[in-house]
Amino acid sequence: ILSAVLHSVLYETEVPMNIESMFEREDVRQLVHAFSLVEGEEEIKAFLTDLCTPREVCDLAQRLEVARGLDEG
């Protein structure tokens, strides 16, 4: 699954500009499914390491902080 997702991300250039159509893409569906298979902190760390650069992991962490702040009001 991971190699198919990476292939799609690397070689498909059309990126939808809205959330609804983004989740209709097969590569995004596979990514969501891959996330659903990951269990526990160690597997999550390994998954993120395989999928993202260190900068991308830090960017995701910062986005999570912003989302939490927005959620708190």
Side-chain angles (χ1 to χ4, degrees):
I1 291 176
L2 186 55
S3 63
V5 171
L6 289 176
H7 176 78
S8 295
V9 169
L10 292 173
Y11 297 107
E12 288 186 19
T13 57
E14 184 180 331
V15 178
M17 298 307 289
N18 64 61
I19 296 294
E20 292 79 21
S21 62
M22 176 185 70
F23 287 113
E24 294 172 3
R25 288 175 50 127
E26 181 59 28
D27 58 337
V28 175
R29 279 187 274 205
Q30 290 178 11
L31 178 64
V32 170
H33 180 70
F35 268 102
S36 75
L37 300 175
V38 181
E39 295 181 16
E41 287 190 20
E42 292 307 312
E43 274 192 38
I44 293 168
K45 288 177 187 177
F47 186 74
L48 288 171
T49 300
D50 288 346
L51 200 61
C52 302
T53 66
R55 178 74 254 160
E56 290 168 331
V57 173
C58 292
D59 289 346
L60 287 170
Q62 289 175 347
R63 285 178 155 214
L64 180 60
E65 283 184 38
V66 169
R68 284 183 176 152
L70 292 171
D71 191 46
E72 291 173 0

Short mmCIF file of all heavy atoms in Angstrom, two decimals:
data_model
loop_
_atom_site.label_atom_id
_atom_site.label_comp_id
_atom_site.label_asym_id
_atom_site.label_seq_id
_atom_site.Cartn_x
_atom_site.Cartn_y
_atom_site.Cartn_z
N ILE A 1 0.84 -1.20 0.00
CA ILE A 1 0.00 0.00 0.00
C ILE A 1 0.88 1.25 0.00
O ILE A 1 0.62 2.17 -0.76
CB ILE A 1 -0.96 0.01 1.21
CG1 ILE A 1 -2.00 -1.07 1.05
CG2 ILE A 1 -1.61 1.35 1.38
CD1 ILE A 1 -2.93 -1.20 2.23
N LEU A 2 1.89 1.27 0.84
CA LEU A 2 2.72 2.46 0.97
C LEU A 2 3.40 2.81 -0.34
O LEU A 2 3.43 3.97 -0.74
CB LEU A 2 3.75 2.28 2.08
CG LEU A 2 4.60 3.49 2.43
CD1 LEU A 2 3.72 4.67 2.79
CD2 LEU A 2 5.53 3.16 3.57
N SER A 3 3.93 1.81 -1.06
CA SER A 3 4.60 2.11 -2.32
C SER A 3 3.61 2.67 -3.35
O SER A 3 3.97 3.56 -4.13
CB SER A 3 5.31 0.88 -2.88
OG SER A 3 4.37 -0.13 -3.17
N ALA A 4 2.38 2.18 -3.36
CA ALA A 4 1.37 2.71 -4.29
C ALA A 4 1.04 4.15 -3.95
O ALA A 4 0.89 4.99 -4.84
CB ALA A 4 0.12 1.85 -4.24
N VAL A 5 0.93 4.45 -2.67
CA VAL A 5 0.65 5.82 -2.24
C VAL A 5 1.80 6.74 -2.64
O VAL A 5 1.58 7.82 -3.20
CB VAL A 5 0.40 5.89 -0.72
CG1 VAL A 5 0.31 7.33 -0.24
CG2 VAL A 5 -0.86 5.13 -0.35
N LEU A 6 3.02 6.32 -2.36
CA LEU A 6 4.17 7.15 -2.69
C LEU A 6 4.27 7.37 -4.20
O LEU A 6 4.57 8.47 -4.65
CB LEU A 6 5.45 6.52 -2.15
CG LEU A 6 5.61 6.56 -0.64
CD1 LEU A 6 6.87 5.82 -0.22
CD2 LEU A 6 5.62 7.97 -0.11
N HIS A 7 4.01 6.32 -4.98
CA HIS A 7 4.04 6.46 -6.43
C HIS A 7 3.01 7.49 -6.89
O HIS A 7 3.32 8.37 -7.71
CB HIS A 7 3.76 5.11 -7.11
CG HIS A 7 3.68 5.20 -8.59
ND1 HIS A 7 4.80 5.29 -9.39
CD2 HIS A 7 2.62 5.26 -9.43
CE1 HIS A 7 4.43 5.39 -10.64
NE2 HIS A 7 3.11 5.37 -10.70
N SER A 8 1.81 7.42 -6.35
CA SER A 8 0.76 8.36 -6.74
C SER A 8 1.14 9.79 -6.37
O SER A 8 0.93 10.72 -7.14
CB SER A 8 -0.55 7.98 -6.07
OG SER A 8 -1.00 6.75 -6.54
N VAL A 9 1.68 9.96 -5.17
CA VAL A 9 2.05 11.29 -4.71
C VAL A 9 3.17 11.86 -5.58
O VAL A 9 3.15 13.04 -5.94
CB VAL A 9 2.47 11.26 -3.23
CG1 VAL A 9 3.11 12.56 -2.81
CG2 VAL A 9 1.28 10.95 -2.35
N LEU A 10 4.12 11.04 -5.94
CA LEU A 10 5.26 11.51 -6.72
C LEU A 10 4.94 11.79 -8.18
O LEU A 10 5.52 12.67 -8.78
CB LEU A 10 6.41 10.50 -6.63
CG LEU A 10 7.06 10.36 -5.27
CD1 LEU A 10 8.06 9.21 -5.30
CD2 LEU A 10 7.74 11.65 -4.85
N TYR A 11 4.01 11.03 -8.76
CA TYR A 11 3.83 11.09 -10.20
C TYR A 11 2.50 11.68 -10.66
O TYR A 11 2.34 11.96 -11.84
CB TYR A 11 4.04 9.70 -10.81
CG TYR A 11 5.45 9.22 -10.57
CD1 TYR A 11 5.69 8.22 -9.64
CD2 TYR A 11 6.51 9.78 -11.23
CE1 TYR A 11 6.98 7.79 -9.40
CE2 TYR A 11 7.81 9.36 -10.99
CZ TYR A 11 8.04 8.37 -10.07
OH TYR A 11 9.32 7.95 -9.83
N GLU A 12 1.56 11.88 -9.78
CA GLU A 12 0.31 12.54 -10.17
C GLU A 12 0.44 14.02 -9.84
O GLU A 12 0.80 14.38 -8.73
CB GLU A 12 -0.88 11.94 -9.42
CG GLU A 12 -1.24 10.56 -9.91
CD GLU A 12 -2.51 10.04 -9.27
OE1 GLU A 12 -3.29 10.83 -8.73
OE2 GLU A 12 -2.68 8.82 -9.30
N THR A 13 0.12 14.86 -10.80
CA THR A 13 0.32 16.29 -10.59
C THR A 13 -0.97 17.04 -10.26
O THR A 13 -0.92 18.13 -9.73
CB THR A 13 0.96 16.94 -11.83
OG1 THR A 13 0.15 16.69 -12.95
CG2 THR A 13 2.36 16.39 -12.05
N GLU A 14 -2.11 16.47 -10.58
CA GLU A 14 -3.38 17.15 -10.33
C GLU A 14 -3.75 17.04 -8.85
O GLU A 14 -4.01 15.97 -8.35
CB GLU A 14 -4.49 16.55 -11.18
CG GLU A 14 -5.80 17.28 -11.03
CD GLU A 14 -6.88 16.66 -11.88
OE1 GLU A 14 -6.57 16.07 -12.93
OE2 GLU A 14 -8.04 16.76 -11.46
N VAL A 15 -3.75 18.17 -8.17
CA VAL A 15 -4.10 18.20 -6.75
C VAL A 15 -5.37 19.01 -6.60
O VAL A 15 -5.43 20.18 -6.99
CB VAL A 15 -2.97 18.83 -5.91
CG1 VAL A 15 -3.36 18.91 -4.45
CG2 VAL A 15 -1.68 18.04 -6.09
N PRO A 16 -6.42 18.40 -6.03
CA PRO A 16 -7.68 19.13 -5.86
C PRO A 16 -7.53 20.27 -4.87
O PRO A 16 -6.73 20.21 -3.96
CB PRO A 16 -8.65 18.07 -5.34
CG PRO A 16 -7.80 16.98 -4.80
CD PRO A 16 -6.49 17.05 -5.52
N MET A 17 -8.32 21.29 -5.06
CA MET A 17 -8.23 22.47 -4.22
C MET A 17 -9.27 22.50 -3.10
O MET A 17 -9.36 23.48 -2.39
CB MET A 17 -8.36 23.73 -5.08
CG MET A 17 -7.26 23.88 -6.11
SD MET A 17 -5.59 23.76 -5.42
CE MET A 17 -5.51 25.30 -4.54
N ASN A 18 -10.06 21.43 -2.96
CA ASN A 18 -10.99 21.41 -1.84
C ASN A 18 -10.97 20.05 -1.17
O ASN A 18 -10.60 19.04 -1.76
CB ASN A 18 -12.41 21.81 -2.28
CG ASN A 18 -13.01 20.82 -3.25
OD1 ASN A 18 -13.17 19.65 -2.92
ND2 ASN A 18 -13.35 21.28 -4.44
N ILE A 19 -11.37 20.04 0.08
CA ILE A 19 -11.30 18.83 0.91
C ILE A 19 -12.16 17.71 0.35
O ILE A 19 -11.73 16.57 0.30
CB ILE A 19 -11.74 19.16 2.36
CG1 ILE A 19 -10.77 20.15 3.00
CG2 ILE A 19 -11.85 17.91 3.20
CD1 ILE A 19 -9.37 19.64 3.22
N GLU A 20 -13.38 18.02 -0.08
CA GLU A 20 -14.30 16.98 -0.53
C GLU A 20 -13.71 16.19 -1.70
O GLU A 20 -13.70 14.95 -1.68
CB GLU A 20 -15.65 17.57 -0.92
CG GLU A 20 -16.44 18.14 0.25
CD GLU A 20 -15.96 19.52 0.68
OE1 GLU A 20 -15.31 20.23 -0.13
OE2 GLU A 20 -16.21 19.89 1.83
N SER A 21 -13.21 16.88 -2.72
CA SER A 21 -12.69 16.16 -3.88
C SER A 21 -11.34 15.50 -3.57
O SER A 21 -11.00 14.49 -4.18
CB SER A 21 -12.58 17.07 -5.09
OG SER A 21 -11.68 18.13 -4.85
N MET A 22 -10.61 16.04 -2.61
CA MET A 22 -9.34 15.43 -2.24
C MET A 22 -9.55 14.00 -1.75
O MET A 22 -8.82 13.09 -2.13
CB MET A 22 -8.66 16.26 -1.14
CG MET A 22 -7.37 15.65 -0.62
SD MET A 22 -6.68 16.58 0.75
CE MET A 22 -7.86 16.23 2.05
N PHE A 23 -10.57 13.78 -0.94
CA PHE A 23 -10.82 12.45 -0.38
C PHE A 23 -11.44 11.49 -1.39
O PHE A 23 -11.58 10.31 -1.09
CB PHE A 23 -11.67 12.54 0.89
CG PHE A 23 -10.89 13.08 2.06
CD1 PHE A 23 -11.19 14.31 2.60
CD2 PHE A 23 -9.84 12.36 2.60
CE1 PHE A 23 -10.46 14.81 3.67
CE2 PHE A 23 -9.10 12.85 3.67
CZ PHE A 23 -9.42 14.08 4.20
N GLU A 24 -11.76 11.97 -2.58
CA GLU A 24 -12.25 11.10 -3.65
C GLU A 24 -11.10 10.48 -4.44
O GLU A 24 -11.30 9.52 -5.16
CB GLU A 24 -13.16 11.89 -4.59
CG GLU A 24 -14.44 12.34 -3.92
CD GLU A 24 -15.26 13.27 -4.78
OE1 GLU A 24 -14.86 13.53 -5.95
OE2 GLU A 24 -16.29 13.77 -4.30
N ARG A 25 -9.91 11.03 -4.32
CA ARG A 25 -8.74 10.50 -5.04
C ARG A 25 -8.36 9.13 -4.49
O ARG A 25 -8.34 8.92 -3.28
CB ARG A 25 -7.54 11.44 -4.88
CG ARG A 25 -7.66 12.72 -5.65
CD ARG A 25 -6.49 13.63 -5.34
NE ARG A 25 -5.21 12.94 -5.46
CZ ARG A 25 -4.20 13.38 -6.20
NH1 ARG A 25 -4.31 14.50 -6.87
NH2 ARG A 25 -3.07 12.71 -6.25
N GLU A 26 -8.01 8.21 -5.36
CA GLU A 26 -7.64 6.86 -4.94
C GLU A 26 -6.38 6.86 -4.08
O GLU A 26 -6.31 6.15 -3.08
CB GLU A 26 -7.44 5.95 -6.16
CG GLU A 26 -7.07 4.53 -5.79
CD GLU A 26 -8.10 3.82 -4.92
OE1 GLU A 26 -9.30 4.15 -4.98
OE2 GLU A 26 -7.70 2.91 -4.16
N ASP A 27 -5.39 7.68 -4.43
CA ASP A 27 -4.17 7.70 -3.63
C ASP A 27 -4.44 8.24 -2.23
O ASP A 27 -3.87 7.75 -1.25
CB ASP A 27 -3.06 8.48 -4.33
CG ASP A 27 -3.41 9.93 -4.64
OD1 ASP A 27 -4.61 10.25 -4.73
OD2 ASP A 27 -2.48 10.73 -4.82
N VAL A 28 -5.34 9.21 -2.11
CA VAL A 28 -5.67 9.75 -0.79
C VAL A 28 -6.47 8.72 0.01
O VAL A 28 -6.25 8.54 1.21
CB VAL A 28 -6.43 11.08 -0.91
CG1 VAL A 28 -6.90 11.58 0.45
CG2 VAL A 28 -5.55 12.13 -1.59
N ARG A 29 -7.37 8.01 -0.65
CA ARG A 29 -8.11 6.93 0.03
C ARG A 29 -7.14 5.88 0.57
O ARG A 29 -7.30 5.38 1.68
CB ARG A 29 -9.12 6.29 -0.90
CG ARG A 29 -10.41 7.09 -0.99
CD ARG A 29 -11.42 6.33 -1.78
NE ARG A 29 -11.15 6.65 -3.19
CZ ARG A 29 -12.03 6.59 -4.15
NH1 ARG A 29 -13.23 6.16 -3.92
NH2 ARG A 29 -11.73 6.95 -5.36
N GLN A 30 -6.12 5.54 -0.23
CA GLN A 30 -5.13 4.56 0.22
C GLN A 30 -4.33 5.10 1.39
O GLN A 30 -4.00 4.35 2.33
CB GLN A 30 -4.20 4.19 -0.93
CG GLN A 30 -4.88 3.36 -2.00
CD GLN A 30 -3.94 3.05 -3.15
OE1 GLN A 30 -2.74 3.26 -3.08
NE2 GLN A 30 -4.51 2.52 -4.22
N LEU A 31 -4.02 6.38 1.36
CA LEU A 31 -3.30 6.99 2.48
C LEU A 31 -4.13 6.94 3.75
O LEU A 31 -3.62 6.56 4.82
CB LEU A 31 -2.92 8.44 2.14
CG LEU A 31 -2.21 9.22 3.24
CD1 LEU A 31 -0.86 8.60 3.56
CD2 LEU A 31 -2.06 10.67 2.82
N VAL A 32 -5.40 7.31 3.65
CA VAL A 32 -6.29 7.26 4.81
C VAL A 32 -6.36 5.83 5.34
O VAL A 32 -6.27 5.60 6.56
CB VAL A 32 -7.69 7.80 4.45
CG1 VAL A 32 -8.69 7.52 5.56
CG2 VAL A 32 -7.62 9.29 4.14
N HIS A 33 -6.49 4.87 4.45
CA HIS A 33 -6.55 3.47 4.87
C HIS A 33 -5.25 3.05 5.55
O HIS A 33 -5.28 2.38 6.59
CB HIS A 33 -6.84 2.56 3.68
CG HIS A 33 -6.91 1.12 4.05
ND1 HIS A 33 -7.96 0.60 4.80
CD2 HIS A 33 -6.05 0.10 3.82
CE1 HIS A 33 -7.73 -0.69 5.00
NE2 HIS A 33 -6.58 -1.02 4.41
N ALA A 34 -4.12 3.46 5.00
CA ALA A 34 -2.83 3.13 5.61
C ALA A 34 -2.74 3.69 7.02
O ALA A 34 -2.28 3.01 7.94
CB ALA A 34 -1.68 3.65 4.74
N PHE A 35 -3.19 4.93 7.22
CA PHE A 35 -3.22 5.50 8.57
C PHE A 35 -4.09 4.68 9.51
O PHE A 35 -3.77 4.50 10.68
CB PHE A 35 -3.73 6.95 8.54
CG PHE A 35 -2.65 7.98 8.40
CD1 PHE A 35 -2.41 8.58 7.18
CD2 PHE A 35 -1.89 8.36 9.48
CE1 PHE A 35 -1.43 9.55 7.04
CE2 PHE A 35 -0.90 9.32 9.37
CZ PHE A 35 -0.66 9.92 8.13
N SER A 36 -5.19 4.16 8.99
CA SER A 36 -6.11 3.40 9.85
C SER A 36 -5.50 2.08 10.32
O SER A 36 -5.97 1.50 11.30
CB SER A 36 -7.44 3.15 9.14
OG SER A 36 -7.29 2.14 8.16
N LEU A 37 -4.47 1.61 9.63
CA LEU A 37 -3.84 0.34 9.99
C LEU A 37 -2.73 0.48 11.03
O LEU A 37 -2.29 -0.51 11.61
CB LEU A 37 -3.27 -0.34 8.74
CG LEU A 37 -4.27 -0.68 7.65
CD1 LEU A 37 -3.54 -1.22 6.42
CD2 LEU A 37 -5.31 -1.66 8.14
N VAL A 38 -2.30 1.70 11.28
CA VAL A 38 -1.19 1.94 12.20
C VAL A 38 -1.70 1.92 13.64
O VAL A 38 -2.70 2.57 13.96
CB VAL A 38 -0.51 3.29 11.88
CG1 VAL A 38 0.65 3.53 12.82
CG2 VAL A 38 -0.06 3.34 10.43
N GLU A 39 -1.01 1.16 14.48
CA GLU A 39 -1.41 1.05 15.89
C GLU A 39 -0.23 1.32 16.81
O GLU A 39 0.85 0.79 16.60
CB GLU A 39 -1.94 -0.36 16.17
CG GLU A 39 -3.20 -0.70 15.41
CD GLU A 39 -3.71 -2.10 15.75
OE1 GLU A 39 -3.27 -2.66 16.76
OE2 GLU A 39 -4.53 -2.60 14.99
N GLY A 40 -0.46 2.11 17.82
CA GLY A 40 0.55 2.35 18.84
C GLY A 40 1.57 3.39 18.43
O GLY A 40 1.82 3.63 17.25
N GLU A 41 2.18 3.99 19.43
CA GLU A 41 3.11 5.09 19.20
C GLU A 41 4.34 4.68 18.40
O GLU A 41 4.79 5.43 17.54
CB GLU A 41 3.53 5.73 20.53
CG GLU A 41 2.41 6.55 21.14
CD GLU A 41 2.87 7.38 22.32
OE1 GLU A 41 4.10 7.63 22.46
OE2 GLU A 41 2.00 7.80 23.10
N GLU A 42 4.89 3.50 18.66
CA GLU A 42 6.08 3.08 17.92
C GLU A 42 5.78 2.87 16.44
O GLU A 42 6.58 3.26 15.58
CB GLU A 42 6.69 1.82 18.54
CG GLU A 42 7.29 2.05 19.91
CD GLU A 42 8.31 3.19 19.95
OE1 GLU A 42 9.21 3.24 19.08
OE2 GLU A 42 8.19 4.06 20.85
N GLU A 43 4.64 2.26 16.13
CA GLU A 43 4.26 2.08 14.72
C GLU A 43 3.99 3.43 14.07
O GLU A 43 4.32 3.63 12.89
CB GLU A 43 3.01 1.20 14.60
CG GLU A 43 3.30 -0.27 14.56
CD GLU A 43 2.08 -1.09 14.15
OE1 GLU A 43 1.31 -0.65 13.27
OE2 GLU A 43 1.91 -2.17 14.73
N ILE A 44 3.38 4.34 14.80
CA ILE A 44 3.11 5.68 14.26
C ILE A 44 4.42 6.39 13.96
O ILE A 44 4.58 7.01 12.90
CB ILE A 44 2.23 6.50 15.22
CG1 ILE A 44 0.84 5.87 15.31
CG2 ILE A 44 2.15 7.96 14.79
CD1 ILE A 44 -0.01 6.41 16.44
N LYS A 45 5.39 6.30 14.87
CA LYS A 45 6.70 6.91 14.62
C LYS A 45 7.34 6.33 13.38
O LYS A 45 7.88 7.05 12.54
CB LYS A 45 7.62 6.72 15.83
CG LYS A 45 7.26 7.54 17.03
CD LYS A 45 8.20 7.21 18.17
CE LYS A 45 7.80 7.89 19.46
NZ LYS A 45 8.68 7.50 20.58
N ALA A 46 7.30 5.00 13.24
CA ALA A 46 7.90 4.34 12.08
C ALA A 46 7.18 4.76 10.80
O ALA A 46 7.81 5.02 9.77
CB ALA A 46 7.85 2.82 12.25
N PHE A 47 5.85 4.84 10.85
CA PHE A 47 5.05 5.23 9.69
C PHE A 47 5.40 6.65 9.26
O PHE A 47 5.65 6.92 8.08
CB PHE A 47 3.57 5.11 10.04
CG PHE A 47 2.65 5.36 8.88
CD1 PHE A 47 2.50 4.43 7.88
CD2 PHE A 47 1.91 6.52 8.82
CE1 PHE A 47 1.63 4.65 6.81
CE2 PHE A 47 1.04 6.76 7.76
CZ PHE A 47 0.91 5.82 6.76
N LEU A 48 5.45 7.57 10.22
CA LEU A 48 5.78 8.96 9.90
C LEU A 48 7.20 9.07 9.37
O LEU A 48 7.46 9.85 8.44
CB LEU A 48 5.60 9.85 11.13
CG LEU A 48 4.16 10.12 11.55
CD1 LEU A 48 4.13 10.84 12.90
CD2 LEU A 48 3.43 10.93 10.50
N THR A 49 8.12 8.29 9.91
CA THR A 49 9.50 8.30 9.44
C THR A 49 9.60 7.81 8.00
O THR A 49 10.34 8.37 7.19
CB THR A 49 10.38 7.43 10.35
OG1 THR A 49 10.33 7.96 11.68
CG2 THR A 49 11.81 7.38 9.88
N ASP A 50 8.81 6.78 7.68
CA ASP A 50 8.81 6.25 6.31
C ASP A 50 8.15 7.21 5.33
O ASP A 50 8.53 7.28 4.17
CB ASP A 50 8.06 4.91 6.25
CG ASP A 50 8.82 3.78 6.89
OD1 ASP A 50 10.03 3.94 7.16
OD2 ASP A 50 8.20 2.73 7.12
N LEU A 51 7.16 7.94 5.79
CA LEU A 51 6.33 8.74 4.90
C LEU A 51 6.78 10.19 4.77
O LEU A 51 6.60 10.80 3.72
CB LEU A 51 4.89 8.70 5.41
CG LEU A 51 3.79 9.06 4.45
CD1 LEU A 51 3.78 8.11 3.26
CD2 LEU A 51 2.44 9.01 5.15
N CYS A 52 7.35 10.75 5.82
CA CYS A 52 7.61 12.19 5.87
C CYS A 52 9.07 12.49 6.16
O CYS A 52 9.78 11.70 6.78
CB CYS A 52 6.78 12.83 6.99
SG CYS A 52 5.01 12.60 6.85
N THR A 53 9.47 13.69 5.75
CA THR A 53 10.77 14.21 6.16
C THR A 53 10.64 14.73 7.59
O THR A 53 9.51 14.98 8.07
CB THR A 53 11.21 15.38 5.25
OG1 THR A 53 10.30 16.48 5.45
CG2 THR A 53 11.25 14.96 3.79
N PRO A 54 11.75 14.92 8.29
CA PRO A 54 11.66 15.50 9.63
C PRO A 54 10.93 16.85 9.63
O PRO A 54 10.13 17.13 10.52
CB PRO A 54 13.13 15.65 10.06
CG PRO A 54 13.82 14.55 9.32
CD PRO A 54 13.13 14.48 7.98
N ARG A 55 11.17 17.67 8.63
CA ARG A 55 10.50 18.98 8.53
C ARG A 55 8.99 18.80 8.40
O ARG A 55 8.21 19.54 9.01
CB ARG A 55 11.06 19.75 7.32
CG ARG A 55 10.42 21.09 7.07
CD ARG A 55 10.87 22.13 8.08
NE ARG A 55 9.79 22.37 9.03
CZ ARG A 55 9.94 22.91 10.22
NH1 ARG A 55 11.11 23.27 10.66
NH2 ARG A 55 8.90 23.11 11.01
N GLU A 56 8.55 17.83 7.60
CA GLU A 56 7.12 17.59 7.42
C GLU A 56 6.47 17.12 8.71
O GLU A 56 5.34 17.52 9.02
CB GLU A 56 6.89 16.57 6.30
CG GLU A 56 7.22 17.12 4.93
CD GLU A 56 7.29 16.07 3.84
OE1 GLU A 56 7.62 14.90 4.14
OE2 GLU A 56 7.00 16.42 2.68
N VAL A 57 7.17 16.29 9.48
CA VAL A 57 6.63 15.84 10.77
C VAL A 57 6.48 17.04 11.70
O VAL A 57 5.44 17.20 12.36
CB VAL A 57 7.52 14.75 11.40
CG1 VAL A 57 7.05 14.41 12.82
CG2 VAL A 57 7.51 13.49 10.53
N CYS A 58 7.48 17.90 11.73
CA CYS A 58 7.39 19.10 12.57
C CYS A 58 6.29 20.03 12.10
O CYS A 58 5.58 20.64 12.92
CB CYS A 58 8.74 19.82 12.61
SG CYS A 58 10.02 18.91 13.48
N ASP A 59 6.11 20.15 10.78
CA ASP A 59 5.02 20.97 10.24
C ASP A 59 3.66 20.42 10.67
O ASP A 59 2.76 21.19 11.05
CB ASP A 59 5.08 21.05 8.72
CG ASP A 59 6.23 21.89 8.20
OD1 ASP A 59 6.84 22.65 8.99
OD2 ASP A 59 6.53 21.78 7.00
N LEU A 60 3.51 19.11 10.62
CA LEU A 60 2.25 18.49 11.07
C LEU A 60 2.02 18.75 12.55
O LEU A 60 0.89 19.04 12.98
CB LEU A 60 2.26 16.98 10.81
CG LEU A 60 2.11 16.54 9.37
CD1 LEU A 60 2.39 15.05 9.23
CD2 LEU A 60 0.72 16.86 8.85
N ALA A 61 3.08 18.66 13.35
CA ALA A 61 2.96 18.92 14.79
C ALA A 61 2.52 20.36 15.04
O ALA A 61 1.66 20.62 15.90
CB ALA A 61 4.29 18.62 15.49
N GLN A 62 3.07 21.30 14.27
CA GLN A 62 2.68 22.70 14.43
C GLN A 62 1.23 22.92 14.01
O GLN A 62 0.50 23.67 14.66
CB GLN A 62 3.61 23.60 13.63
CG GLN A 62 4.99 23.68 14.22
CD GLN A 62 5.96 24.48 13.36
OE1 GLN A 62 5.67 24.80 12.22
NE2 GLN A 62 7.10 24.82 13.94
N ARG A 63 0.80 22.25 12.93
CA ARG A 63 -0.60 22.36 12.50
C ARG A 63 -1.54 21.82 13.58
O ARG A 63 -2.61 22.37 13.80
CB ARG A 63 -0.82 21.61 11.20
CG ARG A 63 -0.26 22.31 10.02
CD ARG A 63 -0.46 21.51 8.76
NE ARG A 63 -0.46 22.43 7.65
CZ ARG A 63 -1.19 22.30 6.58
NH1 ARG A 63 -1.99 21.28 6.42
NH2 ARG A 63 -1.13 23.19 5.62
N LEU A 64 -1.13 20.75 14.24
CA LEU A 64 -1.94 20.20 15.33
C LEU A 64 -2.06 21.20 16.47
O LEU A 64 -3.15 21.38 17.02
CB LEU A 64 -1.32 18.88 15.82
CG LEU A 64 -2.06 18.18 16.95
CD1 LEU A 64 -3.49 17.83 16.54
CD2 LEU A 64 -1.31 16.92 17.37
N GLU A 65 -0.97 21.87 16.80
CA GLU A 65 -1.02 22.90 17.84
C GLU A 65 -1.99 24.01 17.47
O GLU A 65 -2.78 24.47 18.30
CB GLU A 65 0.37 23.50 18.08
CG GLU A 65 1.29 22.64 18.89
CD GLU A 65 2.60 23.34 19.17
OE1 GLU A 65 2.60 24.57 19.43
OE2 GLU A 65 3.64 22.66 19.13
N VAL A 66 -1.94 24.46 16.22
CA VAL A 66 -2.84 25.52 15.76
C VAL A 66 -4.28 25.04 15.82
O VAL A 66 -5.17 25.76 16.30
CB VAL A 66 -2.47 25.96 14.32
CG1 VAL A 66 -3.54 26.85 13.72
CG2 VAL A 66 -1.13 26.66 14.31
N ALA A 67 -4.55 23.81 15.37
CA ALA A 67 -5.90 23.27 15.40
C ALA A 67 -6.42 23.19 16.82
O ALA A 67 -7.59 23.51 17.08
CB ALA A 67 -5.93 21.88 14.73
N ARG A 68 -5.57 22.75 17.74
CA ARG A 68 -6.00 22.70 19.15
C ARG A 68 -6.32 24.08 19.68
O ARG A 68 -7.30 24.28 20.40
CB ARG A 68 -4.90 22.06 20.01
CG ARG A 68 -4.82 20.58 19.86
CD ARG A 68 -3.77 20.01 20.78
NE ARG A 68 -3.78 18.56 20.70
CZ ARG A 68 -2.72 17.80 20.92
NH1 ARG A 68 -1.57 18.35 21.24
NH2 ARG A 68 -2.80 16.50 20.84
N GLY A 69 -5.48 25.07 19.33
CA GLY A 69 -5.74 26.44 19.76
C GLY A 69 -7.05 26.98 19.20
O GLY A 69 -7.82 27.63 19.91
N LEU A 70 -7.32 26.70 17.93
CA LEU A 70 -8.57 27.14 17.33
C LEU A 70 -9.77 26.45 17.96
O LEU A 70 -10.82 27.07 18.16
CB LEU A 70 -8.56 26.87 15.82
CG LEU A 70 -7.58 27.70 15.00
CD1 LEU A 70 -7.51 27.20 13.58
CD2 LEU A 70 -7.96 29.18 15.05
N ASP A 71 -9.59 25.19 18.30
CA ASP A 71 -10.67 24.42 18.92
C ASP A 71 -11.01 24.96 20.31
O ASP A 71 -12.17 24.98 20.72
CB ASP A 71 -10.30 22.94 18.99
CG ASP A 71 -11.46 22.06 19.35
OD1 ASP A 71 -12.56 22.24 18.78
OD2 ASP A 71 -11.29 21.17 20.22
N GLU A 72 -9.97 25.40 21.01
CA GLU A 72 -10.17 25.94 22.37
C GLU A 72 -10.78 27.34 22.35
O GLU A 72 -11.35 27.78 23.32
CB GLU A 72 -8.83 25.97 23.12
CG GLU A 72 -8.31 24.58 23.44
CD GLU A 72 -6.90 24.62 24.02
OE1 GLU A 72 -6.33 25.73 24.17
OE2 GLU A 72 -6.36 23.54 24.31
N GLY A 73 -10.63 28.03 21.21
CA GLY A 73 -11.23 29.36 21.06
C GLY A 73 -10.33 30.43 21.37
O GLY A 73 -9.82 31.11 21.95
#
